[in-house]
Every structure is written in C-alpha cells, then in structure tokens.
Amino acid sequence: MSWEKNKIKKKIIKFKEVVMKKLSIVSIMLIMLFYPGFSGNLIAQQNITPPLLMQQNQTPAVPPAGPGIPPTPHGNPPLPPGQAGIPIVQTISTQTLLANLQQAITTTGNLDKLLSAGKVWFMRSPAGEIEIKGGVLYQGVVVAVIHFNPLDGSVLPLGINPHVFQNNVEINSVKSNLSSVIGNLKILPAAEFMEPEACWSFPVAVGNSIVSHIKVYYDGTHVMEDYITNQEMVFYGQ
C-alpha cells in the first residue's frame, strides 16, 4: 500500500514540474509579445562581446639573432583582413560607412572592460634609442600598444619619444604599471577612417593623454588585431 502511495506521489511531483516548465515558457512568450523591447535587450546582453578579426597573410617579424634588446623589426606593412582596404571601401557608399561609425562606437563602448594586460618588451629604434612597449589584449590578442618612458617606466602620451640609449627601469616595474593602467583605459567615442586598412581608428586615453589607438573594421562590429605588435610580443615579450 505504501509503495503505491509513493508511486502516486512521484507522479504528482513530476506532473507539477512539467506544468511549471510550461508555465515558465508561456510567461516568457507573453512578455516578449507585449514587451518587444525585452527580447531585444536579452539578445543584446547575450551578444555584448564584440568579435575579433585576425589579420591574415602577414609577413611574420624576425626574432632576434642573439641576446640583448632586439632592434625594431622592419618588413612589409600589415595587409588588411582578406586583403581588404581601398578596393572594398570603394564599393561601399559613404552613407553606409558613416552609418557603420555609430555601430563602431557601440562596439568600442562594450570593449573598455574587456581589455587585459599583455607582455612587456624592450626594443631599439633604427637610431638605437630604447623603446619600451606593453601589449593591450582582447581575447588574448594584441589590439593596442602602450609606450613607456625608459627613464622611469611611466606611460608616455603618443608623440613623445625620449632620446634615451640606455634602459634605466626594471621590466617588473613596467609590468606593474601596465597592469594598473589597463583598468583606467578609456576608448574615446570619436574616430578617423583609415582607408588603406578599411577601418575606424579610435584613440585610447589615460587621464588627459592619448596613449594608443584601437581599430574597428569598417563594418563597425569587428575589433582588429594589431598584427605587427602581436608578433613583437610573441617574439620579444616577457
């Protein structure tokens, strides 16, 4: 008798679970029917992570032949993804490109808190001057680079190039500075269009200084890899 009661009880519990699931589905459908914005917001929340566009068919940087600070690598400039650039841009109307700019601004707005610190490396310019760089990563790939002062390891605004031929800072100090700077990076909601690469270039600021740029493909949705800098970090980063 008790066995039959337990069996009936289990059936009742299972029936209640099925009913609750169906009611939940019906409730969601009713909300989406009477509040169309709900479904749009739900989709937007699920797709908040911008896609990454890797550049292909590149000439890799050459690793250093010996110990010490490597020279700045030279080679062919990076090709746009899929060899895009001017031929593609010429087939797209100016009106479409301008419309895509607003989408690109939205893309970078979602990117601010998704950046992370990469590796740090030391190089020499063609004139022999010390350059200290740090990679800014998105999905594990360099999308921007930050330059540091070889005199004290502080972040340099773009355009300032100290003429220093000897490194005076420890790499661990620069790594610490890079990690602390990442959380303060702000991608400004204004861009210029780079026709050869078919992309929007957004300035990246720390405080009152512009310290780097991040590129978004002309479609306004894909964040572009900084191929050359990514190769430098792979070969020289510590």
Side-chain angles (χ1 to χ4, degrees), residues 20 31 40 52 58 60 82 84 97 107 111 167 169 181:
M20 291 301 295
I31 292 174
L52 176 69
Q58 304 288 346
L97 289 175
T107 296
L111 195 63
N167 178 38
V169 297
V181 162

Side-chain angles (χ1 to χ4, degrees), residues 132-162:
I132 305 177
K133 302 180 182 180
V136 178
L137 307 184
Y138 175 62
Q139 296 185 7
V141 175
V142 177
V143 294
V145 60
I146 293 179
H147 298 261
F148 295 87
N149 191 338
L151 294 174
D152 58 12
S154 60
V155 176
L156 286 174
L158 289 181
I160 295 182
N161 303 299

Side-chain angles (χ1 to χ4, degrees), residues 20-33:
M20 291 301 295
K21 287 181 180 180
K22 289 184 177 180
L23 286 174
S24 298
I25 294 173
V26 172
S27 298
I28 293 174
M29 292 178 66
L30 287 173
I31 292 174
M32 293 176 68
L33 178 63

Side-chain angles (χ1 to χ4, degrees), residues 153-212:
S154 60
V155 176
L156 286 174
L158 289 181
I160 295 182
N161 303 299
H163 301 289
V164 178
F165 296 88
Q166 184 175 353
N167 178 38
N168 295 320
V169 297
E170 295 291 332
I171 192 167
N172 287 335
S173 174
V174 180
K175 286 182 178 181
S176 177
N177 285 349
L178 176 61
S179 297
S180 62
V181 162
I182 289 295
N184 296 319
L185 293 179
K186 177 64 177 177
I187 305 174
L188 303 182
E192 60 177 317
F193 190 73
M194 314 295 288
E195 190 173 73
E197 297 175 87
C199 69
W200 297 101
S201 178
F202 288 84
V204 180
V206 174
N208 296 321
S209 300
I210 293 176
V211 297
S212 191

Side-chain angles (χ1 to χ4, degrees), residues 31-183:
I31 292 174
M32 293 176 68
L33 178 63
F34 290 100
Y35 299 95
F38 175 81
S39 57
N41 290 336
L42 185 61
I43 293 173
Q45 291 175 4
Q46 293 174 343
N47 297 314
I48 196 171
T49 304
L52 176 69
L53 185 59
M54 302 288 287
Q55 298 191 43
Q56 306 296 329
N57 302 322
Q58 304 288 346
T59 301
V62 180
I69 299 174
T72 299
H74 295 280
N76 298 327
L79 296 174
Q83 300 199 15
I86 295 176
I88 284 184
V89 173
Q90 288 180 345
T91 64
I92 301 172
S93 69
T94 300
Q95 184 178 2
T96 299
L97 289 175
L98 292 175
N100 289 347
L101 173 58
Q102 186 56 52
Q103 177 58 49
I105 292 173
T106 301
T107 296
T108 55
N110 293 330
L111 195 63
D112 270 340
K113 303 303 180 183
L114 301 176
L115 302 174
S116 60
K119 295 180 179 180
V120 172
W121 63 100
F122 296 82
M123 305 191 73
R124 287 192 184 275
S125 70
E129 299 163 335
I130 295 292
E131 296 180 352
I132 305 177
K133 302 180 182 180
V136 178
L137 307 184
Y138 175 62
Q139 296 185 7
V141 175
V142 177
V143 294
V145 60
I146 293 179
H147 298 261
F148 295 87
N149 191 338
L151 294 174
D152 58 12
S154 60
V155 176
L156 286 174
L158 289 181
I160 295 182
N161 303 299
H163 301 289
V164 178
F165 296 88
Q166 184 175 353
N167 178 38
N168 295 320
V169 297
E170 295 291 332
I171 192 167
N172 287 335
S173 174
V174 180
K175 286 182 178 181
S176 177
N177 285 349
L178 176 61
S179 297
S180 62
V181 162
I182 289 295

